[in-house]
Amino acid sequence: MAERLRLGVNIDHVATVRNARGGTLPDPVRAAHLAVAAGADGITAHLREDRRHIRDADMERLAAELTRPLNFEMAATDEMIALAERLKPHAACLVPEKREERTTEGGLDVVGQKAELRPRIALLKAASCRVSLFIEPDEAPIAMAAELGAPVVELHTGTWCHAVADGLAAKAEAEFQRLARGAAFAAKLGIEVHAGHGLDYDTARKLAAVPAFVEFNIGHFLIGEAIFVGLEAAIGRIRQAMDEGRSGLPG
Ligand code: PXP
């Protein structure tokens, strides 16, 4: 089995809670430091166009203060590219963004948007950002990610996680197989494979058994769990679930 999986902790929803009251607490950057202390291999934050959770000042502080890699999730807009060029995060993950959506729905349309994406990926690479494309686990977008020169893809796990949560066993199995096939295909093309969206203890454990995956990015579930068990314990438990899944231990 492949090496230990990396865990990226997404702290967006600490900012969601902060913004509900409009003040400064809880501080997402404090959560990021705590996550690093608890064993996160990196921190992910998504600066959305509407600034609904993470704000510019949060990104500035994360870029300046973090001792582990920062993964800057962003839409491929001129504004965000310019910010990444200035802040120089370790990684930039390009995601689709629609104002009206509640969260990132579906992967980036890399095939339809290849002409716009190609120069933007080049700009991010020139700024020394490791570029990742958040895409559906299908051959066409994965092959296009390779053609566009992206060193990393993050496969969208949302459809699978929803099917699991809704108890749709046949759909969940089909979606799991789609992710496993997609991950193997991307790895064969020499692309580093990440996964994210909707993962929890059980889904992270199961997906960790697919050897092509190198990194999981997990946010909403961990921040929700932190209300009950604390962030440190939630990160410890997901880390354990990922390690068990990777080493073939049953849950
Ligand atoms: N990866 C990407 C690219 C995402 O857009 C998100 C959601 O912001 C996540 C991972 C984390 O998803 P969740 O918050 O559901 O764990």
Coordinates of all heavy atoms in Angstrom, one line a residue, residues 5 25 29 32 38 42 44 47 58 80 96 101 111 113 117-118 131 151 158 219 221 224 227 229 232:
L5 N -1.3 8.9 3.9 CA -2.1 10.0 3.3 C -1.9 11.3 4.0 O -1.8 11.3 5.2 CB -3.5 9.6 3.4 CG -4.3 9.0 2.3 CD1 -5.6 8.5 2.8 CD2 -4.5 9.9 1.1
L25 N -14.5 36.7 16.2 CA -14.5 35.4 16.8 C -15.6 34.5 16.3 O -16.7 34.9 16.1 CB -14.6 35.6 18.3 CG -13.6 36.4 19.0 CD1 -13.9 36.6 20.5 CD2 -12.2 35.8 18.9
V29 N -7.8 31.7 11.8 CA -6.4 31.5 11.8 C -5.9 30.8 13.0 O -5.0 30.0 13.0 CB -5.6 32.9 11.6 CG1 -4.1 32.7 11.6 CG2 -6.1 33.6 10.3
A32 N -6.5 27.3 12.4 CA -5.5 26.8 11.5 C -4.3 26.4 12.3 O -3.7 25.3 12.1 CB -5.1 27.8 10.4
A38 N -2.4 19.8 15.8 CA -3.1 18.5 16.0 C -2.7 17.5 14.9 O -3.2 16.4 14.9 CB -4.6 18.7 16.0
G42 N -1.5 20.3 6.2 CA -1.7 21.5 5.5 C -3.0 22.1 5.8 O -3.9 21.5 6.4
T44 N -6.3 24.4 4.2 CA -7.0 24.9 3.0 C -8.0 26.0 3.4 O -8.7 25.9 4.4 CB -7.7 23.7 2.3 OG1 -6.8 22.7 1.9 CG2 -8.5 24.2 1.1
L47 N -11.2 31.5 -0.6 CA -11.6 32.9 -0.6 C -12.6 33.0 -1.8 O -12.2 33.1 -2.9 CB -10.4 33.8 -0.8 CG -10.7 35.3 -0.8 CD1 -11.1 35.8 0.6 CD2 -9.5 36.1 -1.2
D58 N -7.9 37.2 6.3 CA -7.6 35.9 6.7 C -6.5 35.3 5.9 O -5.6 34.6 6.4 CB -8.8 35.0 6.7 CG -10.0 35.5 7.5 OD1 -9.7 36.0 8.6 OD2 -11.1 35.3 7.1
M80 N -8.4 36.7 -8.2 CA -7.8 35.7 -7.3 C -6.3 35.3 -7.8 O -5.5 35.0 -6.9 CB -8.7 34.4 -7.3 CG -10.0 34.6 -6.6 SD -9.8 35.1 -4.9 CE -11.3 36.0 -4.6
P96 N -14.8 25.6 -9.4 CA -15.9 26.4 -10.0 C -16.6 27.2 -8.9 O -16.6 26.8 -7.8 CB -16.8 25.4 -10.6 CG -16.6 24.2 -9.8 CD -15.2 24.2 -9.3
E101 N -24.8 29.2 -5.3 CA -24.6 27.9 -4.7 C -24.3 28.0 -3.2 O -23.8 28.9 -2.7 CB -23.5 27.1 -5.4 CG -22.1 27.6 -5.1 CD -21.0 27.0 -6.0 OE1 -21.3 26.1 -6.8 OE2 -19.9 27.5 -5.8
V111 N -12.8 20.9 -19.6 CA -12.9 20.7 -21.0 C -13.5 21.9 -21.7 O -12.9 22.5 -22.6 CB -13.7 19.4 -21.4 CG1 -13.9 19.3 -22.9 CG2 -13.0 18.2 -20.8
Q113 N -13.7 24.9 -20.5 CA -13.0 26.2 -20.2 C -11.5 26.1 -20.4 O -10.7 26.9 -19.9 CB -13.2 26.6 -18.7 CG -14.7 26.9 -18.4 CD -15.0 27.1 -17.0 OE1 -14.1 27.1 -16.1 NE2 -16.3 27.2 -16.6
L117 N -8.5 28.5 -18.9 CA -7.7 28.0 -17.8 C -6.2 27.9 -18.2 O -5.4 28.1 -17.3 CB -8.2 26.6 -17.5 CG -9.6 26.5 -16.7 CD1 -10.1 25.1 -16.6 CD2 -9.4 27.1 -15.3
R118 N -5.9 27.6 -19.4 CA -4.5 27.4 -19.8 C -3.6 28.6 -19.3 O -2.6 28.3 -18.6 CB -4.4 27.1 -21.3 CG -3.0 26.5 -21.6 CD -2.9 26.3 -23.2 NE -3.9 25.4 -23.7 CZ -3.7 24.1 -23.8 NH1 -2.7 23.5 -23.2 NH2 -4.6 23.3 -24.3
V131 N -0.4 23.8 -8.7 CA -1.8 24.0 -9.2 C -2.5 22.7 -9.1 O -2.0 21.6 -9.6 CB -1.8 24.5 -10.6 CG1 -3.2 24.7 -11.1 CG2 -1.1 25.9 -10.7
P151 N -0.2 19.7 -12.2 CA 0.5 18.6 -11.6 C -0.4 17.8 -10.6 O 0.0 16.7 -10.2 CB 1.6 19.3 -10.8 CG 1.1 20.7 -10.6 CD 0.2 21.0 -11.7
G158 N -18.1 14.6 -3.5 CA -19.5 15.0 -3.0 C -20.6 14.1 -3.4 O -21.4 13.7 -2.6
G219 N -13.2 19.7 5.5 CA -13.5 20.9 6.3 C -14.8 20.8 7.1 O -14.8 20.6 8.3
F221 N -17.2 18.7 7.9 CA -17.4 17.7 8.9 C -16.6 17.9 10.2 O -17.0 17.8 11.3 CB -17.2 16.3 8.3 CG -17.2 15.2 9.3 CD1 -18.4 14.7 9.8 CD2 -16.1 14.6 9.9 CE1 -18.5 13.7 10.8 CE2 -16.1 13.6 10.8 CZ -17.3 13.2 11.3
G224 N -17.7 20.8 12.2 CA -18.9 20.4 12.9 C -18.6 19.5 14.1 O -19.1 19.6 15.2
I227 N -17.4 21.0 17.4 CA -18.4 21.5 18.4 C -18.6 20.5 19.5 O -18.7 20.8 20.7 CB -19.7 21.7 17.7 CG1 -19.6 22.9 16.7 CG2 -20.8 22.0 18.8 CD1 -20.8 23.0 15.8
V229 N -16.5 17.4 20.1 CA -15.3 16.7 20.7 C -14.1 17.6 20.7 O -13.0 17.2 21.3 CB -15.0 15.4 19.9 CG1 -16.2 14.4 20.0 CG2 -14.5 15.6 18.5
E232 N -9.0 19.3 18.0 CA -7.9 18.5 18.1 C -8.3 17.0 18.1 O -7.7 16.2 17.3 CB -7.2 18.8 19.4 CG -5.8 18.2 19.5 CD -5.1 18.6 20.8 OE1 -5.7 19.4 21.6 OE2 -4.0 18.2 21.0

